[in-house]
Amino acid sequence: MTGFVREMHRSANPLLVRVAAIAAIGGLLFGYDTGVISGALLFIKKDLHAGTFEQQSIVAVLLLGAMVGALCAGYLADRISRKWTKVMSGTIYFVAALGCALSVNAEMLIGFRFLLGLSVGTASFVGPLYISEVSPPRVRGGLVSFNQMAIVIGILLAYIVNFLFKGFTDEWRWMLGVAALPGAALAVGMLTVPHTPRWLMLAGREDKARKVLERLRSGDEDADVDQEMQDIEEANERERGTRLRELWRQPLRAVVLIGVVLAVAQQFVGVNTVIYYAPTILSDTGEKNAAALAGTLIVGVTNVVFTIVAVLLLDRVGRRPLLLTGTVGLLAALVVLGVYFSSSTLQQDYGWIALAGLILFIAAFAIGLGPVFWLMISEIFPVGVRGAAMATCTIFNWGANFVVAQTFLTLSGAMGRNGVFFLYAGLAVLSIVFFVLRVPETKGRSLEEIQDDLGSAEALTDR
Ligand code: BGC
């Protein structure tokens, strides 16, 4: 039995698993939107007579909405709580998904996709934030990564839904509309979970915080609720009255830099070109369309399988080894893809190399940068600025996602597909150097200990 499963048995608390799973539904919405749009767009463009500009806007506006959503949610998560921010996010998503399905023209669809973005951007980091604040250190890596697991399941579900609804009347409306269901599940589900103890303490509700913590730790032989309460209280005491501008002062600035570099690196290695354009990449290799679609499904399944591997290993081998191994693996995959697209002989006779390269790429991403980015940004910041700091990293992540999505096809035209893969490989090398030098190990330590070690907590006391 792996460490994570064994530790989950030891902490033996169904409430903890339930609240983590509900909070992770936000990831499902995020993944579903990422995966669904390329398939749906084929039908939308005919039905709504959308030109190139409208089509690009339908895709990109969600990413812009997500940036705005993350911006507002950082404030909301600290102000009205992590829990209520997620209830709002699910409600907005429900309305927006139905709005998309019922849109009568491209403008209306663009408007509702922006609204979806607001919700997805919010959910994308309030999920990991919520889960990290309710989890005991021993299983935090695996539990927070439920969120990444939900993202990749969402992507796979979208591929399957696209496949199933093809041939239906109003197929794209169904493809976009079914997402209302998990949106409603998130909103209603979040009504049934408690606030995080750390947020309750921040809001001065100590009695309630203790009650919640006792419920979350009941049955856990190693839990020491008094100690945990004391650690949270001390951290809160130190950080009371923290101002946002301190994010940009040393040594907190160095911690923010780690989060931002992880955010940008996660996108600049080109993961979403694989997610958005896998069929295009594969059909350009001479594979027939059906084979390209099957290849896409294989990529989706690989993503899920290796994310499960990550969930099982993160608390055992640690974040750093997985991050580094994963990023080196995806560097190798990018070089393979670069070489493949540089040689016409390879492209003619060895079409399988492209699929193998994509599979290696996504497997390596799934054990490293995929889960580790979201996990780390939920661990390294002091609670007083955690919402705002995570929001900042999330905005960079969605912004970088937008830049890559907007430039992939243009760059492929300008420097060839091989050139683009080599460019991403170069960025992967820079990322690896930064990770080796700067990214800390956070396995098995309480959030308060991690912040002490990073010096971020002192930054707030020394003011
Ligand atoms: C990234 C997404 C990406 C997904 C793929 C997530 O961690 O933030 O941009 O689409 O992983 O698995």
Side-chain angles (χ1 to χ4, degrees), residues 342-353:
S342 305
S343 149
S344 45
T345 326
L346 286 181
Q347 288 176 60
Q348 254 159 35
D349 300 335
Y350 298 94
W352 59 267
I353 294 182

Side-chain angles (χ1 to χ4, degrees), residues 27 30 66 70 120-129 132 140-141 144-149 151 259 262-263 266-267 271-272 314 319 323 365 368-381 390-398 401:
F30 169 0
V120 168
T122 306
S124 63
F125 81 91
V126 187
L129 170 61
S132 74
R140 192 180 53 237
V144 173
S145 301
F146 275 17
N147 193 68
Q148 176 72 12
M149 178 94 97
I151 297 176
L262 278 166
Q266 200 211 34
Q267 296 299 322
V271 60
N272 284 308
L314 275 163
R319 288 54 161 156
L323 177 67
F365 180 85
L369 263 172
V372 173
F373 158 63
W374 294 108
L375 173 57
M376 283 245 157
I377 63 165
S378 76
E379 298 183 318
I380 57 179
F381 299 113
M390 282 186 77
T392 306
C393 300
T394 307
I395 294 169
F396 273 95
N397 186 261
W398 286 105
N401 188 337

Side-chain angles (χ1 to χ4, degrees), residues 37 52 272 313:
I37 197 63
T52 314
N272 284 308
L313 290 183

Side-chain angles (χ1 to χ4, degrees), residues 147-358:
N147 193 68
Q148 176 72 12
M149 178 94 97
I151 297 176
V152 299
I153 292 177
I155 294 174
L156 182 62
L157 277 179
Y159 288 162
I160 296 172
V161 165
N162 279 356
F163 187 73
L164 292 181
F165 280 114
K166 235 180 322 152
F168 270 52
T169 359
D170 289 335
E171 61 298 268
W172 67 267
R173 296 183 187 280
W174 285 103
M175 291 170 185
L176 301 185
V178 290
L181 292 175
L186 177 64
V188 176
M190 282 308 292
L191 291 175
T192 70
V193 306
H195 287 293
T196 74
R198 283 171 175 80
W199 183 82
L200 284 167
M201 294 283 280
L202 212 54
R205 292 159 65 184
E206 194 180 328
D207 289 351
K208 181 85 184 140
R210 177 177 287 276
K211 277 203 193 103
V212 172
L213 201 57
E214 277 165 0
R215 280 173 62 211
L216 289 167
R217 300 290 180 267
S218 80
D220 182 346
E221 302 144 20
D222 297 332
D224 182 347
V225 170
D226 289 335
Q227 183 63 46
E228 223 178 310
M229 285 292 291
Q230 192 185 327
D231 290 347
I232 299 175
E233 198 180 324
E234 277 169 14
N236 280 356
E237 209 38 59
R238 276 197 306 253
E239 296 158 14
R240 210 168 287 287
T242 305
R243 307 252 169 69
L244 264 192
R245 58 171 181 270
E246 280 156 51
L247 285 182
W248 315 114
R249 298 216 183 111
Q250 279 300 21
L252 204 49
R253 189 169 62 203
V255 187
V256 174
L257 184 72
I258 297 174
V260 167
V261 171
L262 278 166
V264 174
Q266 200 211 34
Q267 296 299 322
F268 276 11
V269 294
V271 60
N272 284 308
T273 59
V274 173
I275 309 276
Y276 299 141
Y277 299 108
T280 320
I281 295 172
L282 289 170
S283 58
D284 282 7
T285 67
E287 305 272 336
K288 296 257 171 333
N289 268 351
L293 257 183
T296 311
L297 276 182
I298 296 176
V299 168
V301 171
T302 308
N303 204 357
V304 172
V305 171
F306 281 85
T307 304
I308 297 175
V309 174
V311 165
L312 296 176
L313 290 183
L314 275 163
D315 291 306
R316 191 151 83 159
V317 302
R319 288 54 161 156
R320 258 178 75 93
L322 286 176
L323 177 67
L324 293 174
T325 317
T327 317
V328 169
L330 69 80
L331 168 63
L334 286 167
V335 172
V336 168
L337 288 165
V339 170
Y340 174 85
F341 283 107
S342 305
S343 149
S344 45
T345 326
L346 286 181
Q347 288 176 60
Q348 254 159 35
D349 300 335
Y350 298 94
W352 59 267
I353 294 182
L355 182 59
L358 290 183

